[in-house]
Amino acid sequence: MKCPLCNETEAILIYSNAAVPAFQNRVYENKNDALNTPCFPVELMQCTSCGFAWNHLFHPEVMEYDESYQNEQAHSLAFQKHLNDTLGVVNSIAKPGQNVIEIGCGKGVFLSMIRDAGYKVTGYDPAHEGNDPDVVSEYFNKELDVTPGDIVVLRHTLEHVAAPVEFLHAICEANGFTGKILIEVPRFEWIVQRRAFWDIFHEHCNYFTESSIAGLFDECSVVPCFEDQYMWIIADINKLREFTSCKKSCQATVDPNIFSDEVERLKKYVALRPGCLIWGAGAKGIAFANQVDPQGTVLGGIVDISPKKQGRYAAKSGHLILSPDELRDHENADIIIMNENYKDEIQAMCERNPNALLTLGEI
Ligand SMILES: [Zn+2]
């Protein structure tokens, strides 16, 4: 099996899950539709040479990112701070007035921030909602009439594409091999350290380590961010390589049992607390709910601040998504916070509730 990053052929299986929703971030109005969401197997392989991990059973053909895809985290203050920090990175490598292209700009939240900071912007994303004249609702490709960006921004996109190196080359080619690129992806070291099986799902086919992604460029900086969950990679576009230069010496592979052992441990934990709740119906929360309560009979639901998710159902497990106001009907339930970075703001929202709030690091 060839590693998509370094082209070496030795890899080990480090996680498998027979049926994972194709889209973790899609919520359903109707419970039956949620229960019958299309699912696919995930088998995460880790390259023993460069340390990159990928789902070798990924089905790219089912990944249609349309307007029903809800992955916006900008409702959260902690996430807004992260976006501000990311704007700070853009400001450190570019000047207002320059051209910024954002690929996979989602609903355009970050793109608007860059524009408001004085940059000329163009966003590309088929999941874009609305009619922002600066967003092209298409996948970015060289057939489009592209004005090269001084900076190309790729936030939380590269982990979704089946052939990441080819994808990067296509982008860099479409940009005339000029300018700089700023990539933000989840950091696999954090996932391993936390045994975060809830961060492994079908939408993400790629799991980069710092050195495996750094090796894709002759020269670049890698900066962990968002409390080390993510990382920024900043490079000159003309420094992109054919394969990662990262070799065995810089990587250790993961113990293949850590994720499955953690699933079992947390399954037992929630089984002893029927009715307990999860906070966060994003990808992490829905992956977690599906793993620890696949039949949807133990957890009392998933709390989320996004009005677009409340009253709807989680893919596959069918858990109901509740608004924070509905906590009054779950007074005795412990709440497991899916992303500890949001603990302070969740605590503030729950000031009047008697529920115990626990992060995954605490259970
Ligand atoms: Zn490799």
Side-chain angles (χ1 to χ4, degrees):
M1 193 177 301
K2 256 190 191 169
C3 167
L5 239 59
C6 74
N7 224 23
E8 293 292 334
T9 51
E10 237 176 80
I12 56 165
L13 178 67
I14 55 170
Y15 175 76
S16 67
N17 187 342
V20 180
F23 284 97
Q24 212 71 38
N25 277 304
R26 195 162 276 171
V27 293
Y28 293 84
E29 259 175 75
N30 177 299
K31 187 170 180 180
N32 241 353
D33 292 345
L35 296 173
N36 293 310
T37 192
C39 289
F40 296 90
V42 166
E43 282 191 1
L44 199 63
M45 307 301 295
Q46 190 177 28
C47 172
T48 58
S49 181
C50 75
F52 173 70
W54 76 102
N55 172 17
H56 78 111
L57 299 180
F58 181 57
H59 283 259
E61 75 284 0
V62 301
M63 305 311 284
E64 289 269 320
Y65 292 99
D66 61 20
E67 290 182 7
S68 69
Y69 183 75
Q70 293 295 339
N71 71 337
E72 200 49 75
Q73 294 165 289
H75 292 282
S76 151
L77 289 175
F79 200 74
Q80 276 167 16
K81 181 191 172 295
H82 171 63
L83 291 178
N84 277 325
D85 293 345
T86 312
L87 179 61
V89 176
V90 171
N91 284 330
S92 73
I93 53 174
K95 289 190 191 73
Q98 287 191 304
N99 266 334
V100 179
I101 288 178
E102 189 185 5
I103 294 157
C105 63
K107 315 295 183 218
V109 173
F110 187 61
L111 194 77
S112 306
M113 288 173 64
I114 314 174
R115 183 169 47 207
D116 292 347
Y119 294 90
K120 289 181 213 142
V121 298
T122 315
Y124 292 88
D125 201 317
H128 179 71
E129 274 173 11
N131 41 20
D132 186 328
D134 291 327
V135 178
V136 181
S137 296
E138 281 193 60
Y139 286 102
F140 183 74
N141 68 78
K142 66 178 174 188
E143 313 305 328
L144 298 167
D145 184 20
V146 175
T147 308
D150 297 298
I151 309 278
V152 175
V153 176
L154 206 59
R155 293 188 50 253
H156 297 274
T157 301
L158 202 57
E159 66 271 33
H160 295 252
V161 294
V165 180
E166 287 82 344
F167 183 77
L168 275 178
H169 271 275
I171 288 169
C172 294
E173 188 187 355
N175 207 56
F177 286 103
T178 62
K180 288 184 191 297
I181 191 161
L182 165 60
I183 302 169
E184 183 180 315
V185 285
R187 197 171 147 267
F188 193 53
E189 286 88 341
W190 186 90
I191 294 175
V192 171
Q193 194 185 23
R194 300 302 174 100
R195 305 179 170 215
F197 61 83
W198 54 89
D199 251 340
I200 301 170
F201 32 83
H202 185 260
E203 272 167 67
H204 288 180
C205 50
N206 304 322
Y207 298 81
F208 299 94
T209 60
E210 284 187 26
S211 38
S212 64
I213 197 163
L216 284 175
F217 296 91
D218 282 332
E219 216 177 287
C220 71
S221 5
V222 178
V223 183
C225 57
F226 199 51
E227 310 294 333
D228 296 342
Q229 286 189 32
Y230 303 154
M231 56 186 163
W232 292 309
I233 297 89
I234 304 142
D236 286 337
I237 280 177
N238 63 10
K239 297 275 197 272
L240 182 65
R241 299 169 54 94
E242 288 298 316
F243 295 107
T244 183
S245 58
C246 179
K247 292 285 173 215
K248 239 177 199 115
S249 55
C250 58
Q251 290 296 340
T253 45
V254 168
D255 171 351
N257 297 317
I258 58 165
F259 296 118
S260 50
D261 288 354
E262 190 67 352
V263 171
E264 289 314 311
R265 187 180 77 80
L266 291 173
K267 224 181 216 176
K268 285 181 194 146
Y269 181 91
V270 300
L272 293 171
R273 292 161 183 80
C276 75
L277 302 168
I278 288 177
W279 192 298
K284 289 177 201 287
I286 290 171
F288 184 86
N290 267 290
Q291 284 281 47
V292 302
D293 182 22
Q295 308 304 324
T297 51
V298 181
L299 298 169
I302 307 178
V303 185
D304 200 281
I305 55 173
S306 166
K308 289 188 173 175
K309 292 186 173 179
Q310 294 159 2
R312 300 192 174 201
Y313 296 89
K316 187 168 178 258
S317 60
H319 292 102
L320 179 62
I321 301 169
L322 309 165
S323 74
D325 286 345
E326 289 172 280
L327 284 176
R328 60 177 176 263
D329 303 326
H330 299 264
E331 279 193 341
N332 299 315
D334 288 356
I335 302 175
I336 304 171
I337 297 172
M338 286 315 304
N339 195 333
E340 65 209 37
N341 292 7
Y342 303 141
K343 186 173 182 182
D344 290 349
E345 62 198 72
I346 293 170
Q347 227 154 15
M349 271 183 270
C350 290
E351 234 169 28
R352 290 159 193 272
N353 297 86
N355 310 73
L357 291 171
L358 302 155
T359 62
L360 283 163
E362 293 166 342
I363 64 176

